[in-house]
């Protein structure tokens, strides 16, 4: 990861420092500045691979998409979008940024929405990481939800993961699908088996 990714010309110094302070809050384990860097780096990879999207609003949406992150927090994306709307008041991309941030609550992308496709692919690129990196990601997510007992966390997490597998494709850009899809499906399937070992035969049959 390159800290140059955190030099965002569309944000002034005060805005950038404030957002980094939000991403550095102590309750975070995975949704940290490191995650922000990864999303921005993945967007750069998509851009360098000729994936078409509007770079300015999509990069800004990456900066804001988890800027509010409370646990539990069922409205984090809504509040993050509201923060973007406030901080970017007067910016020509403010409306598109807030729209994109809201989409990251579900990662449901309408066909033809190239900006949402790029942002969601970058946000979920961790799913296609090498097994050791994916294991670290799952451990960090569990640490963020340490207050939730296993009897609730495990089935809830497994349901989220099954929702990803049930999609025709987890990734929405051609490059993202080629780059991350196969590994992501293996990682997600393996995690479900770990969460629900009694269902192992379902995946092995």
């Amino acid at each position: 990861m390159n800290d140059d990714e955190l030099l965002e010309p569309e944000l002034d110094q005060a805005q950038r420092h404030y957002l980094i302070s939000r991403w550095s809050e102590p309750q975070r384990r995975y949704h940290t500045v490191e995650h922000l860097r990864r999303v921005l780096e993945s967007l750069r990879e998509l851009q360098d691979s000729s994936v078409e999207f509007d770079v300015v609003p999509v990069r800004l949406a990456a900066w804001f998409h988890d800027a509010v992150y409370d646990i539990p927090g069922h409205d984090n994306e809504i509040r993050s979008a509201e923060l973007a709307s406030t901080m970017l008041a007067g910016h020509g991309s403010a409306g598109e940024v807030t729209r994109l941030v809201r989409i990251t609550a579900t990662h449901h992308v309408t066909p033809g929405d190239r900006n949402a496709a790029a942002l969601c692919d970058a946000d979920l690129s961790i799913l296609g990481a090498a097994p050791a990196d994916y294991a670290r990601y799952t451990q960090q997510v569990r640490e963020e939800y340490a207050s939730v007992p296993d009897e609730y966390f495990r089935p809830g997490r497994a349901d989220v993961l099954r929702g990803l597998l049930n999609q025709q494709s987890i990734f929405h850009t051609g490059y993202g699908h080629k780059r991350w899809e196969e590994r992501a499906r293996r990682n997600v399937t393996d995690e479900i088996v770990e969460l629900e070992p009694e269902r192992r035969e379902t995946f092995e049959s």
Side-chain angles (χ1 to χ4, degrees):
M1 299 291 181
N2 189 338
D3 277 345
D4 287 347
E5 293 293 355
L6 298 179
L7 299 176
E8 178 52 63
E10 297 297 322
L11 297 170
D12 64 35
Q13 187 176 42
Q15 290 173 321
R16 178 175 169 275
H17 286 176
Y18 175 75
L19 287 171
I20 289 177
S21 75
R22 296 300 299 256
W23 285 89
S24 303
E25 292 166 337
Q27 78 276 15
R28 299 169 183 256
R29 294 296 182 272
Y30 170 69
H31 295 88
T32 63
V33 173
E34 186 69 14
H35 171 54
L36 172 60
R37 283 197 194 98
R38 185 184 188 98
V39 173
L40 292 171
E41 186 178 71
S42 294
L43 286 174
R44 179 79 63 185
E45 183 176 348
L46 291 171
Q47 184 182 0
D48 291 346
S49 300
S50 300
V51 175
E52 294 186 359
F53 60 94
D54 299 321
V55 174
V56 169
V58 174
R59 280 185 60 89
L60 284 173
W63 274 89
F64 282 97
H65 81 285
D66 284 323
V68 176
Y69 194 75
D70 292 327
I71 303 169
H74 303 294
D75 60 350
N76 285 332
E77 290 82 6
I78 293 174
R79 292 166 61 202
S80 293
E82 290 171 347
L83 178 64
S85 180
T86 298
M87 289 184 64
L88 296 176
H91 192 288
S93 296
E96 177 67 351
V97 172
T98 58
R99 183 186 76 86
L100 292 171
V101 171
R102 288 175 180 271
I103 287 174
T104 62
T106 62
H107 297 100
H108 291 163
V109 176
T110 302
D113 189 346
R114 64 184 189 179
N115 287 348
L119 178 63
C120 289
D121 278 15
D123 191 24
L124 296 180
S125 63
I126 184 63
L127 301 180
D133 292 332
Y134 187 84
R136 183 165 56 251
Y137 150 70
T138 61
Q139 178 181 351
Q140 290 168 339
V141 170
R142 186 65 185 102
E143 289 172 359
E144 287 183 336
Y145 286 86
S147 63
V148 180
D150 271 354
E151 62 187 288
Y152 298 113
F153 177 83
R154 285 176 172 269
R157 173 74 177 172
D159 283 347
V160 170
L161 297 174
R162 273 192 292 271
L164 292 170
L165 290 182
N166 288 339
Q167 296 178 23
Q168 183 175 358
S169 179
I170 296 172
F171 297 95
H172 304 279
T173 67
Y175 178 84
H177 182 85
K178 182 178 179 180
R179 173 78 166 82
W180 296 304
E181 185 80 21
E182 183 178 353
R183 168 58 68 184
R185 287 189 174 273
R186 289 202 299 268
N187 285 336
V188 169
T189 298
D190 289 347
E191 185 183 356
I192 294 174
V193 170
E194 290 183 8
L195 292 166
E196 299 181 332
E198 70 278 4
R199 296 173 62 91
R200 184 182 300 272
E201 291 183 2
T202 301
F203 294 97
E204 293 180 347
S205 62

